[in-house]
Amino acid sequence: MKARVHGLTDVGRRRENNQDQLLVDEQRDVYAIADGMGGHAAGEVASSIAIQALAETIKDASEEEANQFLVDAFQEGNRRICESVLARGEWRGMGTTIVALVRRDDRVIIGHVGDSRSYVLRDGALVQLTDDHSWVAEQVRMGLLTNEEAHKHPMRNIVTRAMGNRVELEVDVSEQPIQPGDVFLLCSDGLNSMLGDEQISEILSCHQADPVEACRALIDAANEHGGDDNITVIVLATANSD
Ligand code: CA
């Protein structure tokens, strides 16, 4: 099944540095976004290590074992970040989210840690494929906050799972069959904190034939709504059946 893909990152309107990193490897059909956190440029270090570990692990992975290689790549990234923290005191507290998508024939495998997200636009409806590992998302899942309350909550930036926080890393991996015309989106929270699902859905629908345009439009819209954080998006549009 053919697909067109594009990725784009932007510092946003309020931050001086971009701590997001992305990987677009069309040859191996692996795509990822990492959103780093930590002062003294440590956030950039953490997200770079995570993406680097993924890129290196891909090279040795066989075609069949995509699920396991994502877990292995995330564990490797986590191990390297923890080691770097031990080596340099000023990097203490650094960490990163990661969301990765691997395409294999007629399915995608998605792995994530933290609050970077994956969505699919399918038959005109936007569906979130990842559950945020964040404090507000946990409150929503327990029925203690509504989505609207979570969106504005002062603790909305608290991530409950990230690479670099502890030696043991729990990774969520899921699989999705691809339906013709599916448009997959990966993003850092700089997108979905500025735009609601409806706005994201509208932009993706409008530009689903052109991932380059879709990425540009998503980032422009997030910036128009404030651009409070770094914004990174990857759009993968699969071909229609006809
Ligand atoms: Ca962010």
Side-chain angles (χ1 to χ4, degrees):
M1 211 181 284
K2 285 203 166 144
R4 277 154 302 158
V5 64
H6 190 67
L8 197 59
T9 187
D10 189 85
V11 69
R13 295 245 166 111
R14 312 250 169 147
R15 302 278 172 100
E16 289 188 355
N17 303 316
N18 192 345
Q19 301 192 317
D20 289 358
Q21 296 274 341
L22 75 165
L23 175 74
V24 175
D25 185 337
E26 289 189 64
Q27 198 194 335
R28 295 187 175 84
D29 246 332
V30 178
Y31 311 95
I33 292 174
D35 176 354
M37 47 211 127
H40 298 103
E44 282 148 273
V45 174
S47 56
S48 305
I49 294 173
I51 292 292
Q52 183 71 30
L54 177 62
E56 286 172 16
T57 312
I58 297 166
K59 287 187 198 152
D60 307 324
S62 81
E63 283 290 303
E64 295 79 36
E65 50 192 26
N67 298 41
Q68 190 53 44
F69 111 72
L70 272 185
V71 174
D72 292 348
F74 287 13
Q75 304 283 13
E76 177 61 16
N78 186 55
R79 196 186 59 75
R80 291 186 194 178
I81 294 168
C82 290
E83 272 180 7
S84 304
V85 168
L86 287 177
R88 286 185 65 165
E90 75 267 32
W91 285 349
R92 188 172 309 149
M94 79 173 174
T96 186
T97 72
I98 189 163
V99 60
L101 181 150
V102 182
R103 196 166 67 105
R104 290 290 176 262
D105 304 320
D106 54 354
R107 66 202 170 103
V108 293
I109 298 107
I110 294 161
H112 87 292
V113 174
D115 66 353
S116 296
R117 289 183 177 177
S118 168
Y119 294 89
V120 64
L121 180 75
R122 179 174 288 164
D123 301 328
L126 188 74
V127 180
Q128 190 178 331
L129 299 174
T130 47
D131 291 326
D132 293 351
H133 303 137
S134 69
W135 185 85
V136 288
E138 284 172 6
Q139 302 300 304
V140 170
R141 286 197 284 274
M142 289 190 286
L144 300 174
L145 285 179
T146 65
N147 271 321
E148 289 70 35
E149 286 167 339
H151 206 73
K152 298 182 193 117
H153 201 280
M155 284 170 72
R156 63 186 177 277
N157 292 326
I158 306 291
V159 172
T160 48
R161 219 194 285 177
M163 286 167 106
N165 284 10
R166 48 194 293 187
V167 181
E168 293 293 321
L169 181 72
E170 196 188 338
V171 179
D172 285 5
V173 180
S174 64
E175 212 172 296
Q176 277 283 326
I178 299 173
Q179 292 179 22
D182 275 355
V183 182
F184 291 92
L185 167 70
L186 304 183
C187 67
S188 62
D189 69 333
L191 182 80
N192 55 270
S193 59
M194 294 291 107
L195 303 178
D197 284 5
E198 220 164 274
Q199 292 161 304
I200 294 173
S201 169
E202 206 169 288
I203 295 167
L204 277 183
S205 305
C206 200
H207 299 286
Q208 56 184 311
D210 189 345
V212 177
E213 278 298 313
C215 288
R216 189 70 262 165
L218 287 166
I219 285 181
D220 286 350
N223 275 326
E224 279 157 22
H225 284 79
D228 287 351
D229 196 359
N230 308 142
I231 311 147
T232 306
V233 291
I234 296 174
V235 173
L236 181 139
T238 63
N240 281 304
S241 46
D242 44 319

